[in-house]
Amino acid sequence: MAARKIKTPVIDIQARPGLPLGMPAATFLRDYWQKRPLLIRGAFPDFETPVQPEDLAGLACEEGALSRLITHDRATDGWTVRTGPFQEEEFPGMPDHDWTLLVQDVDKWDADVRALISHFDFLPRWRMDDVMISFAATGGSVGAHVDQYDVFLLQAYGHRRWQIDASESIKGKRPPLDFRDDVELKLLRRFKPTHDWVLAPGDMLYLPPNVPHNGVAEDPCLTFSFGMRAPASAELISDYLDTLIEGADESIRYQDPDLKVPEDPNEIDVVSMNRVVEALNAIRMNDPDKLGDWFGRFITTYRAAGEVMAHGEPLPREEIEAALGAGVELQRHPWARLAWRRAKRGASLYCSGLDFALPVKDAQVLAGTEQIGAALYQKLSAKGRDAVQALVAGGFYQLVDDAGLEDEDDYVAEYDIVDGTDAVEVIDDEAIEADVHEVTIHDDGIEVIVDFDDSDETDGKDEPQRG
């Protein structure tokens, strides 16, 4: 009997009405998500960019924006990277070719860009990291590279040629992923594309992690990059251990009541190391709710740009409720990240590293809405209303008068964005990955086997970001 051939899914498809992925979302997740790339022609039909190149340049001049300018010298194949903020007068004098401006977190600055995220509700919202937008002059690129996370690249304006190496998903052969050592970007030393496309506005390219790709502007163009958050195991372990240490019981210590006379008093023997493991395992987080609360706080903490802080003294509860009754709404801060999780009793709501014990319905409603009006507020339980008040006091919501009240200043609070870039510790998972030998999940906790290395050497390279 002849062997049955397995049909390989295509990686170039046309979107259809009601099927922006060209297929049901469940089919996409089964056949493509983290398995193979997919080009979707017309994913956003008749798409018109809500952001123009001059808007992006203006945002790149803002203090709180994360921006980079990458230029390529074709004669020497040299690359230069500059980080913002930039001066407005710089852009009119830029050449008409071979440079790219990248700005991260544009969804936090522009409501129309943020609204595009709803098109990806077939994925967990907490997995979405940000929307980065790149403007490239003709020939502009960031070089051939790979990303460590899933990304959707939506062509918003102009045309960009994308070349990818899909050999792993087609032939099962992993392409070489070593980097050049003569540039400050993490660019691939070797890149042999298997596919070559030119994307027009509304076309979208999905790339799983570690698919080599290179995008070059055919003409001045804008590309919207929807990047997923995929914490490295080293990042998870680091934060998890911090939580364990913070709540560790000091009475749990190394013990050896069965100690025998050692053959060599200077040797750390196997029996001693087993006792070390026992001491470590004794402080494992074996309560599912505690483990879930740690992850909820971790994944909703935005780590790339800044922190949210309230401006001035928080408004009294009665004033907030009076404002809601007068038609004012509470608007979520664009930097606030929310998610929720079912717990043993009720649910936990997470907002930018904070957690609140709430009824399931309250947690679902608050995580899923960006505006809170009087009607929604009245439906919340007492615990839900308390959580709203705490979030307002923390700056995660502000009162916004869309009804044009005459006494608007009496109700509308302000919030600040505090730049936390320098305070964020970025862990290079490639440098640590080799030291994490095993992570095992047991019924009573998580066991991590690692080697510790006090070396602080790094390669000093920035990773290209989705452009």
Side-chain angles (χ1 to χ4, degrees):
M1 182 176 178
R4 185 178 178 182
K5 292 185 178 181
I6 299 176
K7 185 178 180 180
T8 302
V10 299
I11 62 174
D12 186 338
I13 199 167
Q14 179 68 45
R16 292 178 283 166
L19 292 174
L21 293 170
M23 66 191 75
T27 303
F28 169 81
L29 295 175
R30 183 194 67 198
D31 295 340
Y32 294 90
W33 177 251
Q34 297 201 337
K35 302 173 186 71
R36 54 182 56 84
L38 178 65
L39 171 63
I40 310 160
R41 297 285 187 184
F44 287 71
D46 303 318
F47 184 78
E48 293 186 9
T49 175
V51 175
Q52 298 298 323
E54 56 268 24
D55 300 324
L56 194 68
L59 182 55
C61 298
E62 295 287 340
E63 280 289 338
L66 296 177
S67 59
R68 291 184 296 164
L69 189 63
I70 298 176
T71 59
H72 181 214
D73 185 335
R74 296 195 192 189
T76 63
D77 196 24
W79 298 81
T80 59
V81 183
R82 294 172 52 208
T83 57
F86 301 100
Q87 300 300 315
E88 292 184 7
E89 56 269 19
E90 292 186 59
F91 293 105
M94 293 291 294
D96 62 0
H97 58 88
D98 297 343
W99 61 273
T100 301
L101 174 67
L102 307 100
V103 183
Q104 291 181 229
D105 300 302
V106 182
D107 55 302
K108 316 302 190 300
W109 297 85
D110 188 281
D112 292 329
V113 173
R114 185 161 62 253
L116 295 174
I117 295 176
S118 65
H119 292 274
F120 299 87
D121 279 350
F122 57 90
L123 301 171
R125 180 63 64 91
W126 53 265
R127 283 278 268 121
M128 180 71 70
D129 196 12
D130 76 318
V131 182
M132 188 191 77
I133 298 181
S134 65
F135 169 78
T138 301
S141 173
V142 298
H145 64 283
V146 295
D147 296 316
Q148 303 298 322
Y149 40 77
D150 302 88
V151 61
F152 294 85
L153 298 160
L154 170 64
Q155 194 59 29
Y157 172 87
H159 301 80
R160 184 185 287 269
R161 178 179 297 277
W162 283 106
Q163 295 177 315
I164 71 169
D165 182 352
S167 56
E168 184 169 15
S169 62
I170 295 175
K171 304 175 183 178
K173 183 179 180 181
R174 188 178 179 90
L177 299 179
D178 50 319
F179 299 121
R180 292 173 54 176
D181 54 14
D182 59 335
V183 293
E184 54 185 311
L185 294 167
K186 284 188 174 180
L187 301 184
L188 294 173
R189 186 185 301 275
R190 288 171 290 175
F191 175 62
K192 186 178 180 180
T194 59
H195 294 75
D196 189 322
W197 302 294
V198 175
L199 273 62
D203 295 341
M204 184 168 69
L205 176 62
Y206 163 70
L207 295 174
N210 292 315
V211 173
H213 56 283
N214 184 36
V216 182
E218 293 282 289
D219 47 33
C221 71
L222 288 170
T223 302
F224 289 19
S225 174
F226 299 82
M228 302 296 115
R229 183 172 181 186
S233 60
E235 185 183 358
L236 290 170
I237 291 170
S238 175
D239 196 273
Y240 176 72
L241 292 179
D242 286 344
T243 303
L244 286 181
I245 293 170
E246 182 180 352
D249 185 347
E250 285 292 317
S251 66
I252 299 176
R253 294 176 177 272
Y254 177 93
Q255 300 179 53
D256 50 6
D258 56 346
L259 184 64
K260 301 293 191 299
V261 177
E263 294 182 8
D264 182 345
N266 299 306
E267 179 191 5
I268 302 174
D269 57 21
V270 173
V271 175
S272 298
M273 288 309 305
N274 287 337
R275 296 191 189 103
V276 171
V277 172
E278 290 178 4
L280 291 173
N281 287 342
I283 63 170
R284 290 187 303 184
M285 194 182 295
N286 53 17
D287 183 332
D289 275 349
K290 288 184 178 180
L291 182 64
D293 285 342
W294 157 72
F295 184 72
R297 293 189 298 267
F298 169 85
I299 203 65
T300 59
T301 300
Y302 192 70
R303 293 170 177 262
E307 298 177 347
V308 178
M309 295 188 67
H311 179 79
E313 292 295 323
L315 291 175
R317 184 181 189 126
E318 57 271 18
E319 290 190 24
I320 295 174
E321 293 181 345
L324 290 172
V328 182
E329 290 190 337
L330 286 167
Q331 174 70 42
R332 184 190 297 180
H333 192 294
W335 257 267
R337 295 172 63 93
L338 275 77
W340 73 281
R341 182 188 64 84
R342 295 182 189 273
K344 289 180 180 178
R345 294 183 180 180
S348 292
L349 174 72
Y350 308 101
C351 177
S352 300
L354 303 175
D355 62 275
F356 303 88
L358 297 176
V360 170
K361 188 174 181 180
D362 285 0
Q364 285 179 309
V365 168
L366 292 176
T369 185
E370 294 195 358
Q371 294 87 25
I372 301 174
L376 188 151
Y377 182 81
Q378 292 299 326
K379 292 179 181 179
L380 296 174
S381 68
K383 286 186 176 180
R385 296 180 191 179
D386 290 343
V388 169
Q389 299 297 324
L391 292 171
V392 172
F396 299 102
Y397 284 85
Q398 73 162 356
L399 286 165
V400 177
D401 182 10
D402 290 332
L405 296 179
E406 293 182 1
D407 297 330
E408 178 181 350
D409 291 340
D410 293 337
Y411 298 121
V412 179
E414 295 181 355
Y415 48 55
D416 290 339
I417 301 169
V418 178
D419 185 8
T421 307
D422 294 336
V424 176
E425 181 179 0
V426 179
I427 300 176
D428 186 347
D429 57 298
E430 293 184 357
I432 301 177
E433 183 178 7
D435 296 333
V436 180
H437 287 281
E438 186 177 343
V439 178
T440 306
I441 301 177
H442 303 285
D443 291 338
D444 59 347
I446 297 178
E447 179 180 3
V448 181
I449 302 176
V450 300
D451 283 341
F452 292 94
D453 186 354
D454 59 1
S455 172
D456 58 358
E457 294 182 1
T458 62
D459 60 12
K461 295 184 179 182
D462 292 324
E463 181 179 354
Q465 300 221 14
R466 314 196 304 266

